[in-house]
């Protein structure tokens, strides 16, 4: 049911309770509205996070929105939604607060729930960020395995900008492991996919990676 449909349904159930005395309709209405609130909190949190990536200024609302979404999805028994919301809780701690230790439990739980719900996109994101955490702590083989699995899922989904972003991470890992030819090939593919999908932001990341790794 759409968001508007769930709100409409709540209005009808309100009228049934008030005018027909059927209060049994109220609990389903509340559950529907909990779903609306969870969806809205998650969407608003993502908008705030996108603004953070551009401005690098923390918004105190962001974490609370993701945590509220996770709480509501959990209450509703919506594992797909809870997994996505927990991914964003972990991402907030990792990206905004630079705190991998706090991020990891949420990212691992997100991976578990996304896998169980068959949500391959969220699973690919959780794996990517677990790979980033491994990279940060010098666990290069584990980081590579996480990023490669994330990339495989993204290729299956046709999520080309996401594939390109992962290839940049894999290029950094290849360079650190003295596989410079692999790094150059990974960046070449990333550039091609970014251009094909008109992911202009990712094209900029590729250029920055080439410069940083001396592969321009």
């Amino acid at each position: 049911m759409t968001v508007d449909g769930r709100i409409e349904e709540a209005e009808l159930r309100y009228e049934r309770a008030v005018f027909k005395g059927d209060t049994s309709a109220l609990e389903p209405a509340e559950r529907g509205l909990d779903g609306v609130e969870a969806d809205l909190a998650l969407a608003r949190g993502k908008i705030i996070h996108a603004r953070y990536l551009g401005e690098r200024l923390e918004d105190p609302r962001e974490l609370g929105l993701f945590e509220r979404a996770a709480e509501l999805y959990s209450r509703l028994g919506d594992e797909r939604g809870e997994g996505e919301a927990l991914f964003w809780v972990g991402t907030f701690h990792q990206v905004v607060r630079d705190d991998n230790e706090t991020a990891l439990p949420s990212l691992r739980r997100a991976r578990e729930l996304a896998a169980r719900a068959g949500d391959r996109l969220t699973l690919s994101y959780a794996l990517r960020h677990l790979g980033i955490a491994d990279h940060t702590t010098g666990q290069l083989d584990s980081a590579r395995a996480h990023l490669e699995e994330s990339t495989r899922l993204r290729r299956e989904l046709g999520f080309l900008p996401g594939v390109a972003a992962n290839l940049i991470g894999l290029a950094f890992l290849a360079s650190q492991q003295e596989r410079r030819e692999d790094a150059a090939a990974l960046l070449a593919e990333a550039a091609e996919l970014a251009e094909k999908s008109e992911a202009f932001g990712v094209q900029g990341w590729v250029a920055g990676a080439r410069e940083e790794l001396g592969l321009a």
Side-chain angles (χ1 to χ4, degrees):
M1 190 180 294
T2 65
V3 170
D4 287 348
R6 285 176 288 178
I7 293 174
E8 243 178 65
E9 181 70 15
E11 180 68 21
L12 291 172
R13 291 178 183 273
Y14 154 79
E15 291 178 0
R16 190 190 307 174
V18 172
F19 299 115
K20 297 184 179 180
D22 181 8
T23 57
S24 67
L26 295 179
E27 186 175 345
E30 285 190 296
R31 288 179 62 81
L33 293 177
D34 281 347
V36 172
E37 183 183 346
D39 291 349
L40 179 60
L42 182 60
R44 192 179 295 280
K46 289 160 75 172
I47 293 296
I48 291 172
H49 187 77
R51 185 173 291 115
Y52 167 80
L53 294 176
E55 301 173 358
R56 296 293 166 173
L57 294 172
E58 180 180 335
D59 187 317
R61 297 174 296 166
E62 183 179 340
L63 179 59
L65 286 165
F66 291 140
E67 289 178 333
R68 178 61 174 163
E71 175 193 351
L72 288 166
Y73 285 130
S74 177
R75 186 189 303 171
L76 292 167
D78 182 344
E79 290 190 335
R80 193 218 60 78
E82 184 184 0
E84 185 180 0
L86 285 174
F87 161 73
W88 284 104
V89 170
T91 296
F92 172 86
H93 287 295
Q94 184 182 63
V95 175
V96 180
R97 295 276 175 84
D98 193 23
D99 183 356
N100 277 314
E101 185 177 351
T102 303
L104 281 172
S106 294
L107 292 174
R108 287 169 179 153
R109 180 62 174 157
R111 175 181 59 185
E112 177 187 343
L113 290 171
R116 204 152 68 200
D119 181 0
R120 292 184 294 164
L121 182 59
T122 296
L123 179 56
S124 81
Y125 272 106
L127 288 164
R128 170 180 166 81
H129 282 258
L130 287 168
I132 291 170
D134 286 340
H135 193 179
T136 300
T137 56
Q139 300 175 72
L140 302 189
D141 289 338
S142 179
R144 181 180 179 184
H146 278 123
L147 279 172
E148 286 180 340
E149 177 61 11
S150 173
T151 303
R152 182 188 68 77
L153 290 167
R154 291 179 171 194
R155 288 189 194 278
E156 288 180 357
L157 293 166
F159 180 27
L160 299 186
V163 173
N166 277 3
L167 294 177
I168 296 169
L170 286 166
F172 275 101
L173 286 168
S175 180
Q176 283 184 262
Q177 294 177 323
E178 304 299 331
R179 296 183 288 112
R180 289 185 63 78
E181 287 187 8
D182 288 348
L186 287 161
L187 289 177
E189 185 184 2
E192 180 184 343
L193 292 175
E195 182 178 4
K196 181 178 180 180
S197 57
E198 299 184 347
F200 304 118
V202 180
Q203 285 181 316
W205 302 346
V206 173
R210 281 175 165 158
E211 183 175 353
E212 186 172 341
L213 296 176
L215 294 169

